[in-house]
Amino acid sequence: MVNDNKSDTLIQKYTVCANDFASAGAASASVKKTLKQLGFSPDFIRRTSIAMYEGEINMVIHGGGGIAEAEIAENYVKITLTDEGPGIADIDLAMREGFSTASESVRELGFGAGMGLPNIKKQADEINLSSEVGVGTTLVISLFSGA
């Protein structure tokens, strides 16, 4: 993790490794801890943690790893997840509950049910998903605390 402070904004950056299920969720757990220390509401922390975890797991399973960045301010968190994986050919299809391209071995581990992107959308106030096949994917998740 790297902390970069810009005025009243805290930036936390993490490297997410492909197929590293032992470390999967470490970035979202670290952000959750920071949000607790900063006094965000339990509901906001829960929503942020779920959204970031789901995105992080997608990077582990599908994206070949990548960079997770959390920008934490007084009244919002913006999570940017960037990978150089295979990309998403059909974003609308990928957003449907139950759609998954996870391998059988990943499903045997309990992942790949096709709920990641739909869960992110449910928890977030805004999402922006861009992807190019053969280049990679960037997912920006914004959550507003109402503070």
Side-chain angles (χ1 to χ4, degrees), residues 17-89:
C17 298
N19 302 310
D20 184 358
F21 291 95
S23 296
S28 52
S30 178
V31 169
K32 179 180 181 178
K33 180 179 177 182
T34 299
L35 295 177
K36 283 182 180 180
Q37 291 171 340
L38 293 172
F40 281 89
S41 75
D43 181 64
F44 182 78
I45 294 169
R46 180 190 60 76
R47 291 189 315 115
T48 303
S49 298
I50 291 169
M52 185 166 181
Y53 176 80
E54 292 285 10
E56 189 178 350
I57 288 297
N58 279 350
M59 289 171 53
V60 169
I61 295 170
H62 305 288
I67 301 296
E69 179 179 299
E71 177 182 329
I72 303 168
E74 183 179 349
N75 61 350
Y76 73 89
V77 173
K78 181 171 85 171
I79 301 160
T80 304
L81 306 164
T82 307
D83 70 50
E84 296 178 2
I88 302 171

Short mmCIF file of all heavy atoms in Angstrom, two decimals, residues 17-89:
data_model
loop_
_atom_site.label_atom_id
_atom_site.label_comp_id
_atom_site.label_asym_id
_atom_site.label_seq_id
_atom_site.Cartn_x
_atom_site.Cartn_y
_atom_site.Cartn_z
N CYS A 17 -2.72 -9.07 -7.14
CA CYS A 17 -2.06 -10.10 -7.95
C CYS A 17 -3.07 -11.09 -8.54
O CYS A 17 -4.01 -11.50 -7.85
CB CYS A 17 -1.03 -10.85 -7.11
SG CYS A 17 0.29 -9.77 -6.52
N ALA A 18 -2.84 -11.47 -9.77
CA ALA A 18 -3.69 -12.44 -10.45
C ALA A 18 -3.66 -13.78 -9.73
O ALA A 18 -2.61 -14.23 -9.25
CB ALA A 18 -3.22 -12.64 -11.89
N ASN A 19 -4.81 -14.40 -9.63
CA ASN A 19 -4.96 -15.75 -9.09
C ASN A 19 -4.42 -15.93 -7.67
O ASN A 19 -4.19 -17.05 -7.24
CB ASN A 19 -4.30 -16.78 -10.02
CG ASN A 19 -4.87 -16.72 -11.42
OD1 ASN A 19 -6.09 -16.74 -11.59
ND2 ASN A 19 -4.02 -16.60 -12.41
N ASP A 20 -4.23 -14.85 -6.95
CA ASP A 20 -3.72 -14.92 -5.57
C ASP A 20 -4.89 -14.86 -4.61
O ASP A 20 -5.19 -13.82 -4.02
CB ASP A 20 -2.72 -13.78 -5.31
CG ASP A 20 -2.08 -13.88 -3.94
OD1 ASP A 20 -2.44 -14.80 -3.16
OD2 ASP A 20 -1.23 -13.03 -3.64
N PHE A 21 -5.55 -15.99 -4.44
CA PHE A 21 -6.74 -16.04 -3.60
C PHE A 21 -6.40 -15.90 -2.12
O PHE A 21 -7.24 -15.50 -1.33
CB PHE A 21 -7.54 -17.32 -3.87
CG PHE A 21 -8.17 -17.31 -5.24
CD1 PHE A 21 -7.53 -17.92 -6.30
CD2 PHE A 21 -9.38 -16.68 -5.45
CE1 PHE A 21 -8.10 -17.90 -7.57
CE2 PHE A 21 -9.95 -16.66 -6.72
CZ PHE A 21 -9.30 -17.27 -7.77
N ALA A 22 -5.16 -16.21 -1.74
CA ALA A 22 -4.74 -16.06 -0.34
C ALA A 22 -4.70 -14.59 0.07
O ALA A 22 -5.00 -14.25 1.22
CB ALA A 22 -3.39 -16.71 -0.12
N SER A 23 -4.34 -13.71 -0.85
CA SER A 23 -4.26 -12.28 -0.55
C SER A 23 -5.48 -11.50 -1.04
O SER A 23 -5.58 -10.30 -0.79
CB SER A 23 -3.01 -11.69 -1.19
OG SER A 23 -1.86 -12.27 -0.62
N ALA A 24 -6.37 -12.15 -1.74
CA ALA A 24 -7.56 -11.48 -2.27
C ALA A 24 -8.36 -10.88 -1.12
O ALA A 24 -8.62 -11.54 -0.12
CB ALA A 24 -8.41 -12.47 -3.05
N GLY A 25 -8.71 -9.63 -1.26
CA GLY A 25 -9.47 -8.94 -0.23
C GLY A 25 -8.60 -8.10 0.70
O GLY A 25 -9.12 -7.36 1.53
N ALA A 26 -7.29 -8.19 0.58
CA ALA A 26 -6.39 -7.43 1.46
C ALA A 26 -6.55 -5.92 1.25
O ALA A 26 -6.57 -5.16 2.22
CB ALA A 26 -4.94 -7.85 1.24
N ALA A 27 -6.70 -5.49 0.02
CA ALA A 27 -6.84 -4.07 -0.26
C ALA A 27 -8.15 -3.54 0.32
O ALA A 27 -8.17 -2.51 0.99
CB ALA A 27 -6.78 -3.80 -1.77
N SER A 28 -9.24 -4.25 0.08
CA SER A 28 -10.53 -3.79 0.60
C SER A 28 -10.55 -3.84 2.13
O SER A 28 -11.16 -2.96 2.76
CB SER A 28 -11.69 -4.58 -0.01
OG SER A 28 -11.49 -5.97 0.12
N ALA A 29 -9.88 -4.80 2.74
CA ALA A 29 -9.80 -4.86 4.20
C ALA A 29 -9.02 -3.67 4.75
O ALA A 29 -9.39 -3.10 5.79
CB ALA A 29 -9.16 -6.17 4.64
N SER A 30 -7.98 -3.28 4.07
CA SER A 30 -7.18 -2.13 4.50
C SER A 30 -7.99 -0.83 4.40
O SER A 30 -7.96 0.00 5.32
CB SER A 30 -5.91 -2.02 3.65
OG SER A 30 -5.16 -0.90 4.04
N VAL A 31 -8.73 -0.68 3.32
CA VAL A 31 -9.58 0.51 3.16
C VAL A 31 -10.67 0.51 4.23
O VAL A 31 -10.96 1.56 4.83
CB VAL A 31 -10.17 0.60 1.73
CG1 VAL A 31 -11.24 1.67 1.63
CG2 VAL A 31 -9.04 0.86 0.73
N LYS A 32 -11.25 -0.63 4.50
CA LYS A 32 -12.28 -0.74 5.54
C LYS A 32 -11.72 -0.27 6.89
O LYS A 32 -12.36 0.49 7.61
CB LYS A 32 -12.75 -2.19 5.65
CG LYS A 32 -13.79 -2.43 6.72
CD LYS A 32 -14.20 -3.90 6.73
CE LYS A 32 -15.26 -4.17 7.77
NZ LYS A 32 -15.68 -5.58 7.74
N LYS A 33 -10.53 -0.71 7.22
CA LYS A 33 -9.88 -0.31 8.47
C LYS A 33 -9.69 1.21 8.52
O LYS A 33 -9.97 1.85 9.54
CB LYS A 33 -8.54 -1.03 8.62
CG LYS A 33 -7.80 -0.69 9.89
CD LYS A 33 -6.49 -1.46 9.98
CE LYS A 33 -5.73 -1.06 11.24
NZ LYS A 33 -4.45 -1.73 11.33
N THR A 34 -9.23 1.77 7.41
CA THR A 34 -9.03 3.23 7.35
C THR A 34 -10.34 3.97 7.54
O THR A 34 -10.41 4.96 8.29
CB THR A 34 -8.38 3.63 6.01
OG1 THR A 34 -7.10 2.99 5.92
CG2 THR A 34 -8.21 5.13 5.89
N LEU A 35 -11.40 3.51 6.88
CA LEU A 35 -12.70 4.16 7.00
C LEU A 35 -13.22 4.11 8.44
O LEU A 35 -13.80 5.09 8.93
CB LEU A 35 -13.72 3.54 6.04
CG LEU A 35 -13.42 3.73 4.55
CD1 LEU A 35 -14.46 2.98 3.71
CD2 LEU A 35 -13.36 5.19 4.17
N LYS A 36 -12.98 2.99 9.11
CA LYS A 36 -13.37 2.89 10.53
C LYS A 36 -12.59 3.90 11.37
O LYS A 36 -13.17 4.59 12.21
CB LYS A 36 -13.11 1.48 11.06
CG LYS A 36 -14.12 0.46 10.63
CD LYS A 36 -13.81 -0.90 11.25
CE LYS A 36 -14.83 -1.94 10.83
NZ LYS A 36 -14.55 -3.26 11.42
N GLN A 37 -11.29 3.99 11.13
CA GLN A 37 -10.46 4.93 11.88
C GLN A 37 -10.88 6.38 11.65
O GLN A 37 -10.76 7.21 12.54
CB GLN A 37 -8.99 4.75 11.51
CG GLN A 37 -8.40 3.44 11.99
CD GLN A 37 -7.01 3.16 11.43
OE1 GLN A 37 -6.61 3.72 10.41
NE2 GLN A 37 -6.28 2.27 12.09
N LEU A 38 -11.38 6.67 10.46
CA LEU A 38 -11.80 8.03 10.12
C LEU A 38 -13.22 8.34 10.59
O LEU A 38 -13.67 9.48 10.46
CB LEU A 38 -11.67 8.26 8.61
CG LEU A 38 -10.23 8.27 8.08
CD1 LEU A 38 -10.22 8.33 6.56
CD2 LEU A 38 -9.44 9.45 8.67
N GLY A 39 -13.93 7.34 11.10
CA GLY A 39 -15.24 7.58 11.67
C GLY A 39 -16.41 7.57 10.71
O GLY A 39 -17.48 8.11 11.02
N PHE A 40 -16.26 6.93 9.57
CA PHE A 40 -17.39 6.80 8.64
C PHE A 40 -18.44 5.89 9.25
O PHE A 40 -18.14 5.04 10.10
CB PHE A 40 -16.92 6.25 7.29
CG PHE A 40 -16.25 7.26 6.41
CD1 PHE A 40 -14.88 7.48 6.48
CD2 PHE A 40 -16.99 8.00 5.49
CE1 PHE A 40 -14.27 8.41 5.67
CE2 PHE A 40 -16.39 8.94 4.68
CZ PHE A 40 -15.02 9.15 4.76
N SER A 41 -19.67 6.03 8.81
CA SER A 41 -20.77 5.22 9.36
C SER A 41 -20.60 3.75 8.99
O SER A 41 -20.05 3.42 7.93
CB SER A 41 -22.12 5.73 8.84
OG SER A 41 -22.30 5.33 7.49
N PRO A 42 -21.11 2.87 9.84
CA PRO A 42 -21.01 1.43 9.55
C PRO A 42 -21.64 1.05 8.20
O PRO A 42 -21.10 0.22 7.48
CB PRO A 42 -21.74 0.77 10.72
CG PRO A 42 -21.56 1.74 11.85
CD PRO A 42 -21.63 3.11 11.19
N ASP A 43 -22.79 1.66 7.87
CA ASP A 43 -23.44 1.35 6.59
C ASP A 43 -22.57 1.76 5.41
O ASP A 43 -22.42 1.01 4.43
CB ASP A 43 -24.80 2.02 6.49
CG ASP A 43 -25.50 1.68 5.17
OD1 ASP A 43 -25.80 0.49 4.95
OD2 ASP A 43 -25.71 2.61 4.36
N PHE A 44 -21.97 2.94 5.48
CA PHE A 44 -21.10 3.41 4.41
C PHE A 44 -19.87 2.51 4.28
O PHE A 44 -19.46 2.16 3.18
CB PHE A 44 -20.67 4.86 4.67
CG PHE A 44 -19.81 5.42 3.57
CD1 PHE A 44 -20.36 5.84 2.38
CD2 PHE A 44 -18.43 5.51 3.74
CE1 PHE A 44 -19.56 6.35 1.36
CE2 PHE A 44 -17.63 6.02 2.73
CZ PHE A 44 -18.19 6.44 1.54
N ILE A 45 -19.30 2.12 5.40
CA ILE A 45 -18.14 1.22 5.39
C ILE A 45 -18.51 -0.12 4.78
O ILE A 45 -17.76 -0.67 3.97
CB ILE A 45 -17.58 1.04 6.83
CG1 ILE A 45 -17.02 2.37 7.35
CG2 ILE A 45 -16.52 -0.06 6.87
CD1 ILE A 45 -16.69 2.37 8.83
N ARG A 46 -19.68 -0.64 5.13
CA ARG A 46 -20.13 -1.92 4.57
C ARG A 46 -20.29 -1.83 3.06
O ARG A 46 -19.77 -2.68 2.33
CB ARG A 46 -21.47 -2.32 5.22
CG ARG A 46 -22.04 -3.65 4.70
CD ARG A 46 -23.48 -3.87 5.17
NE ARG A 46 -24.40 -2.83 4.75
CZ ARG A 46 -24.90 -2.71 3.51
NH1 ARG A 46 -24.55 -3.56 2.57
NH2 ARG A 46 -25.72 -1.73 3.21
N ARG A 47 -20.97 -0.79 2.58
CA ARG A 47 -21.18 -0.64 1.14
C ARG A 47 -19.86 -0.50 0.40
O ARG A 47 -19.65 -1.12 -0.65
CB ARG A 47 -22.07 0.58 0.84
CG ARG A 47 -23.50 0.43 1.28
CD ARG A 47 -24.44 1.54 0.82
NE ARG A 47 -23.94 2.89 0.96
CZ ARG A 47 -23.68 3.71 -0.08
NH1 ARG A 47 -23.89 3.33 -1.32
NH2 ARG A 47 -23.24 4.94 0.14
N THR A 48 -18.96 0.30 0.94
CA THR A 48 -17.66 0.52 0.32
C THR A 48 -16.86 -0.78 0.29
O THR A 48 -16.26 -1.13 -0.73
CB THR A 48 -16.88 1.61 1.07
OG1 THR A 48 -17.66 2.81 1.09
CG2 THR A 48 -15.54 1.89 0.41
N SER A 49 -16.86 -1.49 1.40
CA SER A 49 -16.10 -2.73 1.50
C SER A 49 -16.60 -3.79 0.52
O SER A 49 -15.80 -4.47 -0.13
CB SER A 49 -16.16 -3.28 2.93
OG SER A 49 -15.59 -2.38 3.83
N ILE A 50 -17.91 -3.92 0.42
CA ILE A 50 -18.48 -4.89 -0.51
C ILE A 50 -18.11 -4.54 -1.94
O ILE A 50 -17.65 -5.39 -2.71
CB ILE A 50 -20.01 -4.99 -0.35
CG1 ILE A 50 -20.37 -5.63 0.99
CG2 ILE A 50 -20.64 -5.77 -1.51
CD1 ILE A 50 -21.84 -5.53 1.36
N ALA A 51 -18.31 -3.28 -2.31
CA ALA A 51 -18.02 -2.87 -3.69
C ALA A 51 -16.56 -3.07 -4.03
O ALA A 51 -16.23 -3.61 -5.10
CB ALA A 51 -18.43 -1.41 -3.89
N MET A 52 -15.67 -2.66 -3.14
CA MET A 52 -14.25 -2.79 -3.43
C MET A 52 -13.82 -4.25 -3.46
O MET A 52 -13.05 -4.67 -4.33
CB MET A 52 -13.41 -2.01 -2.42
CG MET A 52 -11.93 -2.03 -2.79
SD MET A 52 -11.02 -0.81 -1.86
CE MET A 52 -9.38 -1.08 -2.54
N TYR A 53 -14.32 -5.06 -2.53
CA TYR A 53 -13.97 -6.48 -2.50
C TYR A 53 -14.40 -7.18 -3.80
O TYR A 53 -13.62 -7.94 -4.38
CB TYR A 53 -14.61 -7.17 -1.29
CG TYR A 53 -14.35 -8.65 -1.28
CD1 TYR A 53 -13.13 -9.15 -0.83
CD2 TYR A 53 -15.29 -9.56 -1.74
CE1 TYR A 53 -12.88 -10.51 -0.83
CE2 TYR A 53 -15.05 -10.92 -1.75
CZ TYR A 53 -13.84 -11.39 -1.30
OH TYR A 53 -13.59 -12.74 -1.31
N GLU A 54 -15.61 -6.91 -4.23
CA GLU A 54 -16.10 -7.55 -5.46
C GLU A 54 -15.22 -7.16 -6.65
O GLU A 54 -14.88 -8.00 -7.48
CB GLU A 54 -17.56 -7.16 -5.74
CG GLU A 54 -18.56 -7.71 -4.75
CD GLU A 54 -18.86 -9.19 -4.91
OE1 GLU A 54 -18.17 -9.91 -5.67
OE2 GLU A 54 -19.82 -9.64 -4.26
N GLY A 55 -14.85 -5.89 -6.74
CA GLY A 55 -13.97 -5.46 -7.82
C GLY A 55 -12.59 -6.07 -7.72
O GLY A 55 -11.99 -6.48 -8.73
N GLU A 56 -12.08 -6.15 -6.50
CA GLU A 56 -10.76 -6.75 -6.28
C GLU A 56 -10.76 -8.22 -6.69
O GLU A 56 -9.84 -8.69 -7.36
CB GLU A 56 -10.43 -6.59 -4.79
CG GLU A 56 -9.04 -6.96 -4.40
CD GLU A 56 -8.78 -6.73 -2.91
OE1 GLU A 56 -9.61 -6.10 -2.20
OE2 GLU A 56 -7.73 -7.19 -2.47
N ILE A 57 -11.80 -8.95 -6.31
CA ILE A 57 -11.91 -10.36 -6.67
C ILE A 57 -11.99 -10.52 -8.19
O ILE A 57 -11.39 -11.43 -8.77
CB ILE A 57 -13.12 -11.03 -5.97
CG1 ILE A 57 -12.83 -11.18 -4.49
CG2 ILE A 57 -13.47 -12.36 -6.60
CD1 ILE A 57 -11.67 -12.09 -4.16
N ASN A 58 -12.72 -9.63 -8.86
CA ASN A 58 -12.78 -9.70 -10.32
C ASN A 58 -11.40 -9.53 -10.93
O ASN A 58 -11.06 -10.19 -11.93
CB ASN A 58 -13.74 -8.65 -10.88
CG ASN A 58 -15.18 -9.07 -10.81
OD1 ASN A 58 -15.49 -10.22 -10.52
ND2 ASN A 58 -16.08 -8.14 -11.05
N MET A 59 -10.58 -8.66 -10.34
CA MET A 59 -9.21 -8.48 -10.85
C MET A 59 -8.38 -9.74 -10.63
O MET A 59 -7.57 -10.11 -11.48
CB MET A 59 -8.56 -7.27 -10.17
CG MET A 59 -9.15 -5.95 -10.64
SD MET A 59 -8.59 -4.51 -9.70
CE MET A 59 -6.84 -4.63 -9.78
N VAL A 60 -8.56 -10.39 -9.50
CA VAL A 60 -7.83 -11.62 -9.20
C VAL A 60 -8.23 -12.74 -10.17
O VAL A 60 -7.38 -13.43 -10.72
CB VAL A 60 -8.09 -12.07 -7.73
CG1 VAL A 60 -7.57 -13.48 -7.48
CG2 VAL A 60 -7.47 -11.08 -6.76
N ILE A 61 -9.53 -12.87 -10.40
CA ILE A 61 -10.06 -13.96 -11.23
C ILE A 61 -9.90 -13.69 -12.73
O ILE A 61 -9.43 -14.54 -13.47
CB ILE A 61 -11.54 -14.22 -10.93
CG1 ILE A 61 -11.72 -14.72 -9.49
CG2 ILE A 61 -12.15 -15.22 -11.92
CD1 ILE A 61 -13.17 -14.77 -9.03
N HIS A 62 -10.33 -12.52 -13.16
CA HIS A 62 -10.46 -12.25 -14.59
C HIS A 62 -9.42 -11.29 -15.17
O HIS A 62 -9.12 -11.37 -16.35
CB HIS A 62 -11.84 -11.64 -14.89
CG HIS A 62 -12.98 -12.46 -14.41
ND1 HIS A 62 -13.35 -13.65 -15.01
CD2 HIS A 62 -13.86 -12.26 -13.39
CE1 HIS A 62 -14.39 -14.15 -14.38
NE2 HIS A 62 -14.72 -13.33 -13.39
N GLY A 63 -8.95 -10.34 -14.38
CA GLY A 63 -8.18 -9.23 -14.92
C GLY A 63 -6.68 -9.40 -14.94
O GLY A 63 -5.97 -8.46 -15.32
N GLY A 64 -6.18 -10.54 -14.49
CA GLY A 64 -4.74 -10.72 -14.46
C GLY A 64 -4.08 -9.84 -13.39
O GLY A 64 -2.92 -9.49 -13.51
N GLY A 65 -4.85 -9.48 -12.36
CA GLY A 65 -4.33 -8.57 -11.34
C GLY A 65 -4.42 -7.15 -11.81
O GLY A 65 -5.02 -6.85 -12.84
N GLY A 66 -3.83 -6.24 -11.05
CA GLY A 66 -3.86 -4.83 -11.44
C GLY A 66 -3.61 -3.91 -10.27
O GLY A 66 -3.03 -4.31 -9.27
N ILE A 67 -4.11 -2.70 -10.39
CA ILE A 67 -3.93 -1.67 -9.37
C ILE A 67 -5.29 -1.26 -8.83
O ILE A 67 -6.21 -0.96 -9.60
CB ILE A 67 -3.21 -0.43 -9.94
CG1 ILE A 67 -1.83 -0.80 -10.49
CG2 ILE A 67 -3.10 0.68 -8.88
CD1 ILE A 67 -0.85 -1.33 -9.46
N ALA A 68 -5.40 -1.25 -7.51
CA ALA A 68 -6.60 -0.76 -6.83
C ALA A 68 -6.22 0.53 -6.11
O ALA A 68 -5.23 0.56 -5.38
CB ALA A 68 -7.11 -1.79 -5.83
N GLU A 69 -6.98 1.57 -6.35
CA GLU A 69 -6.72 2.85 -5.70
C GLU A 69 -8.00 3.35 -5.04
O GLU A 69 -9.06 3.33 -5.66
CB GLU A 69 -6.25 3.87 -6.74
CG GLU A 69 -5.98 5.25 -6.14
CD GLU A 69 -5.48 6.24 -7.17
OE1 GLU A 69 -4.41 6.00 -7.75
OE2 GLU A 69 -6.19 7.24 -7.39
N ALA A 70 -7.87 3.75 -3.78
CA ALA A 70 -9.00 4.33 -3.06
C ALA A 70 -8.67 5.77 -2.73
O ALA A 70 -7.65 6.05 -2.10
CB ALA A 70 -9.29 3.54 -1.79
N GLU A 71 -9.52 6.67 -3.18
CA GLU A 71 -9.41 8.09 -2.85
C GLU A 71 -10.47 8.37 -1.79
O GLU A 71 -11.67 8.24 -2.04
CB GLU A 71 -9.67 8.94 -4.09
CG GLU A 71 -9.65 10.42 -3.84
CD GLU A 71 -9.97 11.23 -5.09
OE1 GLU A 71 -9.64 10.77 -6.21
OE2 GLU A 71 -10.56 12.31 -4.95
N ILE A 72 -10.00 8.71 -0.60
CA ILE A 72 -10.90 8.89 0.54
C ILE A 72 -10.92 10.36 0.92
O ILE A 72 -9.89 10.95 1.23
CB ILE A 72 -10.43 8.03 1.73
CG1 ILE A 72 -10.34 6.56 1.32
CG2 ILE A 72 -11.37 8.22 2.93
CD1 ILE A 72 -9.62 5.67 2.33
N ALA A 73 -12.11 10.94 0.89
CA ALA A 73 -12.30 12.34 1.28
C ALA A 73 -13.33 12.39 2.41
O ALA A 73 -13.84 11.36 2.84
CB ALA A 73 -12.75 13.17 0.09
N GLU A 74 -13.65 13.57 2.85
CA GLU A 74 -14.56 13.74 3.98
C GLU A 74 -15.93 13.14 3.74
O GLU A 74 -16.54 12.57 4.64
CB GLU A 74 -14.70 15.22 4.31
CG GLU A 74 -15.57 15.50 5.51
CD GLU A 74 -15.68 16.98 5.84
OE1 GLU A 74 -14.91 17.78 5.28
OE2 GLU A 74 -16.54 17.30 6.66
N ASN A 75 -16.43 13.24 2.50
CA ASN A 75 -17.80 12.78 2.24
C ASN A 75 -17.93 11.79 1.08
O ASN A 75 -19.02 11.55 0.61
CB ASN A 75 -18.71 13.99 2.00
CG ASN A 75 -18.27 14.81 0.80
OD1 ASN A 75 -17.20 14.59 0.25
ND2 ASN A 75 -19.11 15.74 0.39
N TYR A 76 -16.83 11.23 0.65
CA TYR A 76 -16.93 10.24 -0.43
C TYR A 76 -15.69 9.35 -0.46
O TYR A 76 -14.64 9.68 0.09
CB TYR A 76 -17.12 10.89 -1.80
CG TYR A 76 -15.87 11.57 -2.34
CD1 TYR A 76 -14.94 10.86 -3.10
CD2 TYR A 76 -15.62 12.91 -2.09
CE1 TYR A 76 -13.80 11.48 -3.58
CE2 TYR A 76 -14.48 13.53 -2.55
CZ TYR A 76 -13.57 12.80 -3.31
OH TYR A 76 -12.43 13.42 -3.77
N VAL A 77 -15.85 8.23 -1.14
CA VAL A 77 -14.74 7.35 -1.51
C VAL A 77 -14.88 7.05 -2.98
O VAL A 77 -15.97 6.71 -3.46
CB VAL A 77 -14.73 6.03 -0.69
CG1 VAL A 77 -13.66 5.09 -1.20
CG2 VAL A 77 -14.53 6.31 0.79
N LYS A 78 -13.77 7.21 -3.70
CA LYS A 78 -13.74 6.84 -5.12
C LYS A 78 -12.70 5.74 -5.26
O LYS A 78 -11.54 5.91 -4.89
CB LYS A 78 -13.37 8.03 -6.00
CG LYS A 78 -13.37 7.65 -7.49
CD LYS A 78 -13.21 8.86 -8.39
CE LYS A 78 -11.75 9.19 -8.54
NZ LYS A 78 -11.51 10.22 -9.56
N ILE A 79 -13.14 4.60 -5.76
CA ILE A 79 -12.29 3.43 -5.94
C ILE A 79 -12.05 3.26 -7.43
O ILE A 79 -13.01 3.21 -8.21
CB ILE A 79 -12.96 2.17 -5.37
CG1 ILE A 79 -13.23 2.35 -3.88
CG2 ILE A 79 -12.11 0.93 -5.64
CD1 ILE A 79 -14.28 1.40 -3.34
N THR A 80 -10.79 3.19 -7.82
CA THR A 80 -10.44 2.96 -9.23
C THR A 80 -9.67 1.65 -9.31
O THR A 80 -8.63 1.49 -8.67
CB THR A 80 -9.60 4.12 -9.79
OG1 THR A 80 -10.33 5.35 -9.60
CG2 THR A 80 -9.31 3.91 -11.27
N LEU A 81 -10.19 0.73 -10.10
CA LEU A 81 -9.58 -0.58 -10.29
C LEU A 81 -9.18 -0.70 -11.75
O LEU A 81 -10.03 -0.58 -12.63
CB LEU A 81 -10.57 -1.68 -9.91
CG LEU A 81 -11.18 -1.57 -8.51
CD1 LEU A 81 -12.39 -2.45 -8.37
CD2 LEU A 81 -10.14 -1.90 -7.46
N THR A 82 -7.89 -0.90 -11.99
CA THR A 82 -7.37 -0.93 -13.36
C THR A 82 -6.58 -2.21 -13.57
O THR A 82 -5.71 -2.55 -12.76
CB THR A 82 -6.46 0.29 -13.62
OG1 THR A 82 -7.18 1.47 -13.27
CG2 THR A 82 -6.03 0.36 -15.06
N ASP A 83 -6.88 -2.90 -14.65
CA ASP A 83 -6.11 -4.10 -14.98
C ASP A 83 -5.72 -4.09 -16.45
O ASP A 83 -6.19 -3.25 -17.22
CB ASP A 83 -6.89 -5.38 -14.63
CG ASP A 83 -8.10 -5.63 -15.52
OD1 ASP A 83 -7.98 -5.59 -16.76
OD2 ASP A 83 -9.19 -5.91 -14.98
N GLU A 84 -4.84 -4.98 -16.80
CA GLU A 84 -4.41 -5.15 -18.20
C GLU A 84 -4.78 -6.55 -18.66
O GLU A 84 -4.03 -7.19 -19.40
CB GLU A 84 -2.91 -4.88 -18.32
CG GLU A 84 -2.56 -3.44 -18.00
CD GLU A 84 -1.06 -3.15 -18.07
OE1 GLU A 84 -0.28 -4.05 -18.40
OE2 GLU A 84 -0.69 -2.01 -17.79
N GLY A 85 -5.93 -7.01 -18.20
CA GLY A 85 -6.40 -8.35 -18.53
C GLY A 85 -7.01 -8.43 -19.91
O GLY A 85 -6.81 -7.54 -20.75
N PRO A 86 -7.82 -9.45 -20.14
CA PRO A 86 -8.37 -9.69 -21.47
C PRO A 86 -9.46 -8.69 -21.89
O PRO A 86 -9.82 -8.63 -23.06
CB PRO A 86 -8.94 -11.10 -21.37
CG PRO A 86 -9.26 -11.26 -19.93
CD PRO A 86 -8.20 -10.49 -19.19
N GLY A 87 -9.97 -7.93 -20.93
CA GLY A 87 -11.05 -7.00 -21.25
C GLY A 87 -12.40 -7.70 -21.23
O GLY A 87 -12.50 -8.92 -21.16
N ILE A 88 -13.45 -6.91 -21.29
CA ILE A 88 -14.82 -7.41 -21.27
C ILE A 88 -15.44 -7.13 -22.63
O ILE A 88 -15.59 -5.98 -23.02
CB ILE A 88 -15.64 -6.72 -20.15
CG1 ILE A 88 -14.99 -6.96 -18.79
CG2 ILE A 88 -17.09 -7.21 -20.17
CD1 ILE A 88 -15.60 -6.14 -17.67
N ALA A 89 -15.82 -8.19 -23.32
CA ALA A 89 -16.36 -8.05 -24.68
C ALA A 89 -17.75 -7.42 -24.68
O ALA A 89 -18.08 -6.62 -25.55
CB ALA A 89 -16.40 -9.40 -25.37
#
